[in-house]
Amino acid sequence: MSETAVQSVAAEVDDWLARFDDALTREDAEAAAELFLDDSFWRDLIAFTWNIKTVENPDGVRDMLEHTLAHTRPRNWRTSEEPTAAEGVTEAWIEFETEAGRGNGHLRLKDGKAWTLLTALYELKGHEEPKGAERPKGVQHGANRDRLTWMEERRKEAEELGYTSQPYVLVVGGGQGGIALGARLRQLSVPTIIIERNERAGDSWRKRYKSLCLHDPVWYDHLPYLKFPANWPVFSPKDKIGDWLEMYTRVMELNYWGSTTAKSARYDDAKKEWTVVVDRDGEEITLTPKQLVLATGMSGKPNVPEIPGADVFQGDQHHSSQHPGPDAYKGKQAVVIGSNNSAHDICAALWEAGADVTMVQRSSTHIVRSDTLMDVGLSALYSEQAVEAGMTTEKADMTFASLPYRIMHEFQIPLYDEMRERDQDFYERLERAGFLLDFGEDESGLFMKYLRRGSGYYIDVGASELVANGDIKLKTGQVVRLTEHAVVLEDGTELPANLVVYATGYGSMNGWAADLISQEVADKVGKVWGLGSDTAKDPGPWEGEQRNMWKPTQQEALWFHGGNLHQSRHYSLYLALQLKARAEGTPTPVYGLQEVHHTS
Amino acid sequence: MSETAVQSVAAEVDDWLARFDDALTREDAEAAAELFLDDSFWRDLIAFTWNIKTVENPDGVRDMLEHTLAHTRPRNWRTSEEPTAAEGVTEAWIEFETEAGRGNGHLRLKDGKAWTLLTALYELKGHEEPKGAERPKGVQHGANRDRLTWMEERRKEAEELGYTSQPYVLVVGGGQGGIALGARLRQLSVPTIIIERNERAGDSWRKRYKSLCLHDPVWYDHLPYLKFPANWPVFSPKDKIGDWLEMYTRVMELNYWGSTTAKSARYDDAKKEWTVVVDRDGEEITLTPKQLVLATGMSGKPNVPEIPGADVFQGDQHHSSQHPGPDAYKGKQAVVIGSNNSAHDICAALWEAGADVTMVQRSSTHIVRSDTLMDVGLSALYSEQAVEAGMTTEKADMTFASLPYRIMHEFQIPLYDEMRERDQDFYERLERAGFLLDFGEDESGLFMKYLRRGSGYYIDVGASELVANGDIKLKTGQVVRLTEHAVVLEDGTELPANLVVYATGYGSMNGWAADLISQEVADKVGKVWGLGSDTAKDPGPWEGEQRNMWKPTQQEALWFHGGNLHQSRHYSLYLALQLKARAEGTPTPVYGLQEVHHTS
């Protein structure tokens, strides 16, 4: 842009922010709403709503402000860098503050009015994290006869917390989600215990099939506070990410209880407190946290279909999450039921180990080649080129967060059109092999499938070639029964099998709540994940945000946390701040608590 | 500076670099030497000399170039950022390349001639580290029946290296020095084993007295590749830095043999190979590395004075490095012989634990208050303010490295004058308590003492107040003998004692070579550390660089590595590149191999 153009763009943004600020200061919700386009979106991450909430159009903005302005007292709106303009849209990074904290966000203007606005709280006043110039000193200088060393303090905390003192937060599940949240809560001085059924942090990765590597690239996967070094591989092998999580847990000083399972939990409405019975390596301990976070995996509980004859089948059978790897199946006949990520990875590993492998595809699957996905889908925000162009992880996360879910597919469709074009030969070969392909009901591809249902796709790292060339045999149709030595399909095909792997996906995460708390609470909370897009496995009505994730649920003091490493990193911030505010007694009136339309 | 001034400064540097480049390209050492002031310094870190070497004045420059130009073939000199000028000195950050690699450095011009020049090789052509855009992919996409997973490859390497295959480098000592070097060698694909007598990485910190914290601040202490996060304490407690080193060793995939000691080593001049016998957790293993690095601590072996009566003393007695901490000495009488860092820390910890403590000061000591040292001595390069002003660790290291040792004290003296002024009251109180103070023979303070002798100072974090107010009792003089229950000083004073701590420092690092290899090799290599400043414990003649550190020694294939975290970080780069070049058969003709003037 010319210097004059830059000035005029800056003036446009400054003018909008000044009018917005003025309307908010006067508590004039109507005037503020008039600054938004008829088709517009305001996504708020706990700054106004103490919720993760997108409101739409001037009506939505007005209603939200009428309910939040008086206590939020937003002010001091400003840009944090030079705004830009392209194709009729002006974009600006913004900062502001509220009564409770400091926020940042992003604004898109069209014709002088707001098209999209993102507002996000990033710290609470009076509870800023001790980092940079405010980092702890580490040593206490001077002489002090009551001094406890760092190690003595850590040991004391480890001995007392959960026994003679109680955690404010209990996190059930010590994968990347629980760990990232735990790190943030530690920095915010919220007493927290993370429990994990596996012995060591990272085991939830280590124990999966041996060829597993992350399907997301390193730039997408950083944890809070401590980024992977520049020599870290693009796609982390599972044991390597396991080691990283283990060391992260240690250096972040988390109270991490391995070999611990939660047996039961119930909430006392009067005491505002959970009673959670856990088994810690054989010892039963009762914890009474004020807040309970289920971070047991966004995939929820394994779905194992009930197939007639499963009880008579003589070979091995297990869900993909329990698959031990291919080493025992060399020369054996394996049938993998399913055609998503796990099914493909497991088929390829079995084939590599010398098994005879058949994949049973029950419905169409979306396939994207990994390199293509990186180049076309992610490289603008999460890639070495993005890093070199000055893109930080934090800014990439906020850019991603600034796109309202309602219109996100519109941004995604052209990318997947490009991918389909680029890999036309590849897709044709797959179809010739009989593979049923899709790109999502609205052709919006992988990321929307992930957000809507968390399944239905494979990021190809090599297995598709084996399917296309017939090394992995492909059958299409439903499984009707097992016999002693075979899998039988609806068309009568019998597939001899020494091994059946159910790569049949997972249920909703509130299934964990049913097991741990009660079916009643699980139903009260309802389905977890998905947007209400009215596509397969994500029924309407439209919800606007992912159901129940990182935000208040219909069950007081019960929270769900999880997702991929990107989501675990970014949204753990907002969940941690919500928990910290409650720990400190900061008022947190929730606007627009989600209603429940589906119980699973 | 005005824009015109900026241009003229840039032109001055460009002009100098062009003339320098021209002279070097013509292999005209004389013409290049004429570009240097009569009083000038060229410090080279392996780019020209395959040595760590400072030459002085045009004569020194000419001689060095006459011996190195033909094979170095330096070229492509350029600035990497805008030069600056102040007080008659123009400063520029530069880059260049040689036949073997790429280099960077720093130039100071006065009156159009070079006053100081730093040249440093940072990578070898054809052996660049795989990072950023060149990072490993992690996963091998595609199908491959011979695939080894990351974990299988790591296990295979761990099983084979040292048994069926031999390391190119053996590093003896797995503290921060060995670990930082090991990380760099791993990135350069040089097969390396690090052996460490303690069980776990970090134990060399953990096992020291319990109140120990790093005396250097976090900004000074980063390891290569992976920086401490922004929430890391300023002064790391010993167990916390121990944990960091342990996890670093793990995630950097080092071949780290804990519980392993080196029993003997000898070099075969014909085979150009070491034979090193090690005890690995009870198993005797013979290793045959091509290169042997002693990273056993720059402090060398503990100095325990031979005091008559030590054999009859009935209490506990040990060197400071073996001191277990104060817990067993509550209510007991402790005498600590020495008055440097360890002596002060141990005295304070004993006092805090309720012991009756006497410090025996045998000679004057330099004391600087920690806060003052941070503010006045380090903040320009290593502090949060420096970080906020855009100073990176790498640039700080290079800035530090750009000051020739010959004149470094001139830069240090004013800082220590300022510190003395600022803390005048503090020093007066110490002197009133009878404490013998000094600021170094030339008043140049702590850092010069560190470089010259590695001892003679205390960074005050609280113990000095206890000395000043008499809580720690102070006696001055030499110890002449021990009795069954007391320490006796030369003036006849008897100090009743249940515990005697010898905080009496360390010998030269070549003492390790004497133990491990032979006295002959130790004498051939000579004294390690120090500059030849002709001050206490650092006898002349002037050497120009620290003796034997990170550079070729008189014993082929024997290297010394160590120092504080800053040195371990920065100089491990040059040592790693020297080892890599030898591993690859790159010619490494050494200019100016140091002569030996002292055997210890």
Side-chain angles (χ1 to χ4, degrees):
Chain A
M1 290 194 291
S2 71
E3 201 162 322
T4 323
V6 168
Q7 284 167 355
S8 108
V9 166
E12 182 193 5
V13 172
D14 288 346
D15 178 58
W16 190 92
L17 288 177
R19 288 194 288 155
F20 190 54
D21 195 12
D22 180 58
L24 299 185
T25 304
R26 288 186 288 104
E27 294 190 22
D28 186 343
E30 179 62 38
E34 282 172 10
L35 294 168
F36 284 74
L37 286 174
D38 284 350
D39 278 316
S40 57
F41 307 88
W42 181 349
R43 185 168 196 226
D44 181 60
L45 306 177
I46 75 170
F48 282 69
T49 60
W50 287 107
N51 197 355
I52 293 184
K53 187 80 187 169
T54 299
V55 296
E56 299 188 3
N57 309 334
D59 283 353
V61 169
R62 185 189 317 105
D63 187 71
M64 189 266 269
L65 288 177
E66 281 170 358
H67 288 86
T68 59
L69 261 183
H71 55 263
T72 303
R73 298 192 56 221
R75 51 194 181 266
N76 202 9
W77 296 83
R78 59 202 185 277
T79 55
S80 53
E81 59 182 82
E82 205 70 68
T84 58
E87 297 176 27
V89 178
T90 294
E91 297 197 41
W93 291 100
I94 57 172
E95 303 217 357
F96 62 97
E97 61 184 289
T98 67
E99 193 63 11
R102 294 177 195 87
N104 55 8
H106 186 267
L107 172 68
R108 288 185 186 84
L109 297 176
K110 276 202 244 185
D111 303 325
K113 286 198 171 186
W115 174 37
T116 70
L117 174 63
L118 169 68
T119 50
L121 202 73
Y122 66 82
E123 70 182 0
L124 294 166
K125 291 178 182 172
H127 307 291
E128 295 81 2
E129 294 189 4
K131 61 186 177 187
E134 305 305 320
R135 71 177 74 221
K137 191 142 185 178
V139 67
Q140 303 160 282
H141 288 175
N144 172 6
R145 286 202 153 156
D146 301 320
R147 179 200 301 272
L148 287 184
T149 66
W150 173 84
M151 180 56 103
E152 287 168 335
E153 280 183 356
R154 286 288 298 130
R155 285 204 185 123
K156 184 165 181 283
E157 181 180 325
E159 282 164 15
E160 292 177 355
L161 194 66
Y163 297 89
T164 59
S165 68
Q166 286 299 318
Y168 182 77
V169 177
L170 178 67
V171 181
V172 178
Q176 65 252 18
I179 288 171
L181 178 63
R184 294 198 186 273
L185 290 171
R186 156 68 72 184
Q187 291 306 309
L188 290 168
S189 299
V190 178
T192 301
I193 292 174
I194 302 166
I195 65 171
E196 164 62 36
R197 65 184 166 163
N198 289 303
E199 185 185 346
R200 293 188 296 152
D203 278 355
S204 49
W205 285 102
R206 289 191 195 94
K207 290 194 169 178
R208 300 206 62 200
Y209 50 92
K210 76 171 188 177
S211 60
L212 179 64
C213 290
L214 297 195
H215 291 87
D216 291 324
V218 60
W219 309 279
Y220 196 68
D221 301 332
H222 294 297
L223 293 175
Y225 308 112
L226 188 64
K227 298 207 162 67
F228 295 110
N231 50 25
W232 200 261
V234 177
F235 301 102
S236 291
K238 72 179 176 76
D239 296 285
K240 191 166 171 67
I241 197 77
D243 283 356
W244 182 263
L245 290 171
E246 187 177 6
M247 82 73 198
Y248 183 91
T249 300
R250 176 94 164 275
V251 300
M252 289 292 163
E253 304 178 16
L254 307 191
N255 294 299
Y256 191 94
W257 290 11
S259 304
T260 302
T261 50
K263 298 170 71 177
S264 69
R266 64 183 164 74
Y267 189 66
D268 185 323
D269 283 312
K271 289 171 76 178
K272 306 280 182 201
E273 186 175 282
W274 290 94
T275 299
V276 185
V277 179
V278 308
D279 178 310
R280 186 180 191 187
D281 214 4
E283 179 192 7
E284 188 171 293
I285 299 166
T286 300
L287 300 172
T288 56
K290 300 292 183 188
Q291 308 286 342
L292 179 63
V293 179
L294 297 187
T296 35
M298 57 70 71
S299 297
K301 295 170 61 185
N303 266 339
V304 180
E306 290 191 15
I307 301 178
D311 53 333
V312 303
F313 180 67
Q314 302 271 302
D316 293 350
Q317 52 182 326
H318 42 242
H319 188 263
S320 58
S321 59
Q322 305 300 315
H323 179 60
D327 293 345
Y329 302 105
K330 181 175 174 151
K332 301 291 174 72
Q333 292 177 303
V335 174
V336 177
I337 301 172
S339 54
N340 289 345
N341 257 331
S342 296
H344 276 86
D345 277 350
I346 290 170
C347 283
L350 284 165
W351 178 86
E352 287 186 347
D356 175 86
V357 188
T358 303
M359 176 189 286
V360 179
Q361 185 175 30
R362 302 174 302 160
S363 57
S364 69
T365 305
H366 173 45
I367 308 249
V368 190
R369 295 185 59 241
S370 175
D371 290 345
T372 303
L373 183 63
M374 298 307 117
D375 290 351
V376 179
L378 278 179
S379 68
L381 295 179
Y382 302 100
S383 68
E384 203 65 37
Q385 304 92 285
V387 171
E388 278 162 19
M391 178 60 74
T392 64
T393 312
E394 291 70 25
K395 196 168 176 180
D397 288 352
M398 289 294 282
T399 304
F400 216 102
S402 76
L403 287 174
Y405 287 133
R406 175 79 90 172
I407 56 172
M408 191 178 274
H409 62 287
E410 295 172 18
F411 293 82
Q412 294 286 306
I413 290 168
L415 300 178
Y416 286 84
D417 287 347
E418 186 182 338
M419 295 187 211
R420 181 156 36 187
E421 176 88 9
R422 171 169 152 161
D423 293 330
Q424 190 179 352
D425 288 353
F426 167 80
Y427 290 118
E428 283 174 4
R429 272 185 295 129
L430 267 178
E431 287 188 312
R432 272 201 299 274
F435 197 87
L436 305 177
L437 285 172
D438 73 68
F439 273 72
E441 288 179 31
D442 55 0
E443 312 295 319
S444 61
L446 189 142
F447 197 69
M448 295 314 300
K449 276 204 172 193
Y450 172 75
L451 291 170
R452 292 166 174 172
R453 53 181 283 197
S455 65
Y457 50 82
Y458 168 54
I459 300 172
D460 177 42
V461 293
S464 290
E465 191 54 44
L466 297 174
V467 172
N469 69 19
D471 282 336
I472 294 174
K473 295 165 191 164
L474 181 67
K475 292 290 173 188
T476 307
Q478 303 305 315
V479 175
V480 290
R481 67 173 191 280
L482 301 191
T483 64
E484 287 190 0
H485 302 291
V487 174
V488 184
L489 304 187
E490 56 191 344
D491 66 358
T493 308
E494 288 209 16
L495 303 169
N498 308 106
L499 166 69
V500 177
V501 178
Y502 301 101
T504 42
Y506 298 85
S508 164
M509 243 200 305
N510 64 337
W512 298 115
D515 285 1
L516 181 61
I517 310 166
S518 67
Q519 190 61 49
E520 184 194 345
V521 166
D523 290 346
K524 180 163 85 169
V525 165
K527 183 175 170 65
V528 178
W529 205 262
L531 300 168
S533 62
D534 201 21
T535 59
K537 301 198 179 181
D538 183 30
W542 180 250
E543 307 252 6
E545 294 288 339
Q546 287 194 289
R547 296 180 188 94
N548 280 316
M549 293 302 297
W550 315 293
K551 62 183 179 180
T553 68
Q554 291 286 349
Q555 170 59 55
E556 187 176 28
L558 178 66
W559 309 80
F560 292 88
H561 175 53
N564 58 28
L565 282 153
H566 155 251
Q567 293 173 305
S568 294
R569 167 183 70 242
H570 190 198
Y571 289 96
S572 59
L573 170 60
Y574 308 112
L575 178 48
L577 289 173
Q578 290 173 82
L579 294 166
K580 174 67 174 177
R582 283 162 175 81
E584 296 295 335
T586 305
T588 56
V590 175
Y591 172 78
L593 182 67
Q594 71 169 47
E595 294 167 33
V596 173
H597 302 286
H598 309 281
T599 55
S600 69
Chain B
M1 288 194 294
S2 72
E3 201 161 323
T4 324
V6 168
Q7 285 167 356
S8 109
V9 166
E12 181 193 7
V13 172
D14 288 345
D15 177 58
W16 190 92
L17 288 176
R19 288 194 286 154
F20 190 54
D21 194 11
D22 179 57
L24 299 185
T25 304
R26 289 186 288 103
E27 294 190 21
D28 186 343
E30 179 61 38
E34 281 172 10
L35 293 168
F36 284 72
L37 286 175
D38 285 349
D39 277 317
S40 57
F41 308 88
W42 181 349
R43 183 166 197 228
D44 181 60
L45 306 177
I46 75 170
F48 282 69
T49 60
W50 287 107
N51 197 353
I52 292 184
K53 187 80 187 169
T54 299
V55 296
E56 299 187 4
N57 310 336
D59 282 353
V61 169
R62 185 188 319 103
D63 186 72
M64 189 266 269
L65 289 176
E66 282 170 359
H67 288 85
T68 59
L69 261 183
H71 56 263
T72 303
R73 298 192 56 220
R75 51 195 182 266
N76 202 9
W77 298 82
R78 59 202 184 277
T79 54
S80 53
E81 59 182 80
E82 204 71 68
T84 58
E87 298 176 27
V89 178
T90 294
E91 298 196 41
W93 290 100
I94 58 172
E95 303 217 357
F96 62 97
E97 61 185 289
T98 68
E99 193 64 10
R102 295 177 196 87
N104 54 9
H106 186 267
L107 173 67
R108 287 186 186 84
L109 297 177
K110 276 201 243 185
D111 303 324
K113 288 199 169 186
W115 173 37
T116 71
L117 174 63
L118 170 69
T119 51
L121 202 73
Y122 67 81
E123 70 181 1
L124 294 166
K125 290 177 183 173
H127 307 292
E128 295 80 3
E129 294 190 3
K131 61 185 178 187
E134 305 304 321
R135 72 176 75 220
K137 192 144 185 177
V139 68
Q140 302 160 283
H141 288 175
N144 173 6
R145 287 201 152 156
D146 301 320
R147 179 200 300 273
L148 288 183
T149 66
W150 173 84
M151 180 55 104
E152 287 167 336
E153 281 184 356
R154 286 289 297 130
R155 285 206 184 120
K156 185 165 180 283
E157 182 180 325
E159 282 163 17
E160 292 177 357
L161 194 66
Y163 297 89
T164 59
S165 68
Q166 285 299 319
Y168 182 77
V169 177
L170 177 66
V171 180
V172 178
Q176 65 249 18
I179 288 170
L181 178 64
R184 294 197 186 273
L185 290 170
R186 157 67 73 183
Q187 291 307 309
L188 291 167
S189 299
V190 178
T192 301
I193 291 174
I194 303 166
I195 64 170
E196 164 62 35
R197 65 185 166 161
N198 288 302
E199 186 184 346
R200 293 187 296 151
D203 278 355
S204 49
W205 285 102
R206 290 191 195 93
K207 290 192 169 178
R208 300 206 61 199
Y209 50 91
K210 76 171 188 176
S211 60
L212 179 64
C213 291
L214 298 195
H215 291 88
D216 290 324
V218 60
W219 309 279
Y220 195 70
D221 301 332
H222 293 297
L223 293 174
Y225 307 112
L226 188 62
K227 298 206 160 70
F228 295 110
N231 50 26
W232 201 261
V234 177
F235 300 102
S236 291
K238 72 180 177 73
D239 295 285
K240 191 166 171 67
I241 196 77
D243 284 357
W244 183 263
L245 289 170
E246 187 176 7
M247 83 74 202
Y248 182 90
T249 300
R250 176 94 164 275
V251 300
M252 289 292 162
E253 303 179 14
L254 307 190
N255 294 298
Y256 192 93
W257 290 10
S259 305
T260 303
T261 50
K263 297 170 71 178
S264 69
R266 64 184 164 73
Y267 190 65
D268 185 323
D269 283 313
K271 291 171 75 178
K272 306 280 182 202
E273 185 174 284
W274 290 93
T275 299
V276 184
V277 179
V278 309
D279 178 311
R280 186 181 191 188
D281 213 5
E283 179 192 6
E284 188 171 292
I285 299 165
T286 300
L287 300 172
T288 55
K290 300 292 183 190
Q291 308 286 341
L292 179 63
V293 179
L294 297 186
T296 34
M298 57 70 71
S299 296
K301 295 168 60 185
N303 266 339
V304 180
E306 291 190 16
I307 300 178
D311 53 334
V312 303
F313 179 68
Q314 304 271 303
D316 291 352
Q317 52 181 327
H318 43 242
H319 188 262
S320 58
S321 58
Q322 305 300 316
H323 179 62
D327 293 346
Y329 302 106
K330 180 176 173 152
K332 301 291 174 70
Q333 291 177 304
V335 174
V336 177
I337 301 172
S339 53
N340 288 346
N341 256 331
S342 296
H344 277 86
D345 277 350
I346 291 171
C347 283
L350 285 165
W351 179 85
E352 287 187 348
D356 175 87
V357 188
T358 303
M359 175 189 285
V360 178
Q361 183 175 32
R362 301 173 305 158
S363 57
S364 68
T365 305
H366 173 46
I367 308 248
V368 190
R369 295 185 59 241
S370 175
D371 290 345
T372 303
L373 183 63
M374 298 307 118
D375 289 351
V376 179
L378 277 180
S379 69
L381 295 179
Y382 301 100
S383 67
E384 203 65 37
Q385 302 93 284
V387 170
E388 279 162 19
M391 177 61 74
T392 64
T393 312
E394 292 70 24
K395 196 168 176 179
D397 288 352
M398 288 295 282
T399 304
F400 216 102
S402 76
L403 287 175
Y405 288 133
R406 175 80 90 174
I407 56 171
M408 190 178 274
H409 61 287
E410 296 171 18
F411 292 81
Q412 295 287 308
I413 290 168
L415 300 178
Y416 286 85
D417 287 346
E418 187 183 336
M419 295 187 211
R420 182 158 32 190
E421 176 86 11
R422 173 170 150 158
D423 293 328
Q424 191 180 351
D425 288 353
F426 167 79
Y427 290 118
E428 282 175 4
R429 272 185 295 130
L430 268 178
E431 287 188 310
R432 272 201 299 273
F435 197 87
L436 304 178
L437 286 171
D438 74 67
F439 273 73
E441 288 180 33
D442 56 359
E443 312 295 319
S444 62
L446 189 141
F447 197 69
M448 295 313 302
K449 275 204 172 192
Y450 173 75
L451 291 169
R452 291 166 174 173
R453 53 180 284 197
S455 65
Y457 50 81
Y458 168 55
I459 300 173
D460 177 42
V461 292
S464 288
E465 191 54 45
L466 297 175
V467 171
N469 70 18
D471 283 335
I472 295 173
K473 296 166 191 163
L474 180 69
K475 291 290 172 191
T476 308
Q478 304 304 315
V479 174
V480 290
R481 68 176 189 280
L482 301 191
T483 65
E484 288 191 359
H485 302 290
V487 174
V488 184
L489 304 187
E490 56 190 344
D491 67 357
T493 308
E494 288 209 15
L495 303 169
N498 308 104
L499 166 69
V500 176
V501 179
Y502 301 101
T504 42
Y506 298 86
S508 165
M509 245 199 304
N510 64 337
W512 299 114
D515 284 1
L516 180 62
I517 311 165
S518 67
Q519 189 61 49
E520 184 194 345
V521 166
D523 291 346
K524 180 162 83 167
V525 165
K527 183 176 171 66
V528 178
W529 204 262
L531 300 168
S533 62
D534 201 22
T535 58
K537 303 197 178 182
D538 182 30
W542 179 249
E543 307 253 5
E545 293 287 341
Q546 288 195 287
R547 296 181 189 94
N548 280 315
M549 293 303 297
W550 314 292
K551 62 181 180 180
T553 68
Q554 291 286 349
Q555 170 59 55
E556 186 175 30
L558 179 65
W559 310 79
F560 292 88
H561 175 52
N564 58 28
L565 282 152
H566 154 251
Q567 292 172 305
S568 293
R569 168 183 69 242
H570 191 198
Y571 289 96
S572 58
L573 170 60
Y574 308 111
L575 179 48
L577 290 172
Q578 291 173 81
L579 294 165
K580 175 67 174 175
R582 283 162 175 82
E584 296 295 336
T586 305
T588 54
V590 175
Y591 171 78
L593 182 66
Q594 71 168 47
E595 293 166 32
V596 172
H597 303 286
H598 309 280
T599 54
S600 68

